[in-house]
Amino acid sequence: MDRPTSSDRAELEETTGLVEDGELPQGAEGGEVDPRTLRKSSSSRSSRKSFRLDYRLEEEVTKSCRDKHGRWTNPWPTWRFPSYSMLFRFLVLDKNHSNVPTSKEVLDSELPVMEPYFVQNPEALDSHAGMRVTWLGHATVLVEMEGVNILTDPIFSQRASFLQFMGPKRYRGPPCTVEQLPRIDAVLISHSHYDHLDAGSVASLNARFGGELRWFVPLGLMDWLAKMGCENVMELDWWEENCVPGHDNVTFVCTPSQHWSKRTAWDDNRSLWSSWSVLGPNHRFFFAGDTGYCSSFQEIGRRFGPFDLAAIPIGAYQPRDVMQGQHVAPEEAVQIHQDLQAKQSVAIHWGTFALAYEYYLEPPVRLREALEQKGLKPESFFTLHHGESRLIAAQDRDVFD
């Protein structure tokens, strides 16, 4: 049987919608799909190019789902939240092997913080072809592609906490301030944890850019952003898409990840978590956010790969029985790199906060070993100094070919 053409599938979507009337699809592993999953993306597909389709019409994907209490849940057998006994052992009994030096001189030598190129030479901002990535610490990266400047999970505060006098403190400061950033067109938020959704950074970005800045967030976070004064917020479910005004050729797709959410004592998993796939006419970028390993990275790679660049976490993974469901180890990060068909990946979520018990310099060592074991070149999955940038060469091809 012939595969339907783009125009056939577009017509099918317009005439029949995403599902038949009265049909309630099931998420992977039998979880119930949230009714909002059935709605179309908040962007108007009818006013955009017909080649951009709802990928759920082509192949079954893992959809977001809730448990019987209405809380979001992970639909993969790889998910396991640590038991109370595990958490007690982790918090009270286990030895912390992070051993972060207290000496600034030692840290400056081992993990230097560089002044970003856009602070040193703002004129260089638009003088490159291809795409460029700058690591700003933890899961915060600045990606420039297709004329759009994208910031991921911004945290410029000294602590990942609701209070700035307690909670996890940075041992490597941010390489710049929000005021020193170039123009930012889009911010990607992966989930609600304090080291990924920082109130001070959100307030500063909103104060500087206001309604010109578009925020992309998974379901359940729009109200929080609105209370912070953010006006231009796109709240999406897994596999929904939208764009930045004036850059309709760059599509932002909310894609799955394996994690959880919490900001208060009573809001466990009330908001969704996600990764993000950014698709342009010449380049593709993937942001994993915070995640354990799951099969959906293979789905993402099949639909949107190969990616020119992926930002994948490599830290906060020990002890393994506690962290495995929620944080990948470097070996699993390399597997995600391969699942996504990423041409290059940059390591994130390490070297900034001591959130787990591995030695603070271990993640890049294990990353290099995992690449060698897989027969991959070290430059295919690289680390950067804080504030350092790397150019990713331009590719002469159409993302949607």
Side-chain angles (χ1 to χ4, degrees), residues 109-114 135-136 350 383-389:
S109 173
E110 298 287 357
L111 291 174
V113 178
M114 303 171 60
W135 186 44
L136 300 177
W350 75 283
T383 60
L384 294 172
H385 296 310
H386 293 76
E388 186 180 7
S389 300

Side-chain angles (χ1 to χ4, degrees), residues 48 51-52 55 130-131 143-148 150 241-244 247-253 276-286 303-309 395-401:
R48 300 177 65 188
F51 59 70
R52 193 167 290 122
Y55 294 89
M131 62 191 303
V143 173
E144 303 160 65
M145 58 175 280
E146 314 285 3
V148 179
I150 303 163
E241 65 185 44
N242 213 290
C243 64
V244 172
H247 298 275
D248 193 59
N249 62 334
V250 179
T251 301
F252 293 76
V253 188
W276 292 93
S277 299
V278 184
L279 314 177
N282 300 299
H283 295 97
R284 314 175 203 194
F285 167 63
F286 178 78
R303 281 157 190 75
F304 303 132
F307 288 90
D308 298 283
L309 178 69
Q395 302 292 325
D396 296 327
R397 55 142 172 83
D398 192 321
V399 159
F400 297 97
D401 281 352

Side-chain angles (χ1 to χ4, degrees), residues 358-374:
E358 73 271 7
Y359 179 53
Y360 83 110
L361 293 177
E362 181 183 279
V365 175
R366 283 182 57 169
L367 174 62
R368 288 191 293 270
E369 292 173 349
L371 291 169
E372 184 177 356
Q373 290 171 2
K374 293 274 191 175

Side-chain angles (χ1 to χ4, degrees), residues 86 88-97 318-319 321-322 357:
M86 285 183 185
F88 175 80
R89 192 201 72 216
F90 172 64
L91 296 171
V92 178
L93 303 177
D94 282 347
K95 180 175 174 56
N96 187 344
H97 297 281
Q318 292 288 22
D321 59 344
V322 175
Y357 289 174

Side-chain angles (χ1 to χ4, degrees), residues 98-113:
S98 59
N99 295 329
V100 179
T102 56
S103 166
K104 183 178 182 301
E105 289 72 21
V106 173
L107 284 170
D108 286 344
S109 173
E110 298 287 357
L111 291 174
V113 178

Side-chain angles (χ1 to χ4, degrees), residues 17-75:
L18 297 181
V19 295
E20 298 294 333
D21 289 341
E23 179 184 356
L24 184 62
Q26 297 295 305
E29 307 300 324
E32 181 177 330
V33 178
D34 183 73
R36 284 178 293 180
T37 303
L38 306 183
R39 70 176 184 238
K40 294 185 180 181
S41 167
S42 54
S43 63
S44 173
R45 286 195 179 91
S46 61
S47 65
R48 300 177 65 188
K49 300 296 184 183
S50 62
F51 59 70
R52 193 167 290 122
L53 305 172
D54 190 311
Y55 294 89
R56 286 172 291 186
L57 293 173
E58 298 193 32
E59 185 180 351
E60 184 65 19
V61 293
T62 302
K63 302 176 180 70
S64 61
C65 55
R66 299 177 188 257
D67 64 17
K68 62 183 180 180
H69 305 292
R71 298 178 188 268
W72 297 104
T73 186
N74 288 291

Side-chain angles (χ1 to χ4, degrees), residues 304-372:
F304 303 132
F307 288 90
D308 298 283
L309 178 69
I312 303 175
I314 66 166
Y317 51 81
Q318 292 288 22
R320 204 72 203 106
D321 59 344
V322 175
M323 295 296 178
Q324 186 164 8
Q326 56 190 305
H327 291 158
V328 292
E331 296 79 11
E332 293 167 312
V334 171
Q335 186 60 56
I336 292 175
H337 166 83
Q338 293 182 304
D339 289 350
L340 296 169
Q341 306 170 47
K343 296 180 179 181
Q344 290 184 274
S345 292
V346 59
I348 61 171
H349 204 266
W350 75 283
T352 311
F353 296 96
L355 300 175
Y357 289 174
E358 73 271 7
Y359 179 53
Y360 83 110
L361 293 177
E362 181 183 279
V365 175
R366 283 182 57 169
L367 174 62
R368 288 191 293 270
E369 292 173 349
L371 291 169
E372 184 177 356

Side-chain angles (χ1 to χ4, degrees), residues 294-306:
C294 66
S295 59
S296 266
F297 297 112
Q298 298 173 23
E299 295 178 350
I300 296 166
R302 286 195 297 267
R303 281 157 190 75
F304 303 132

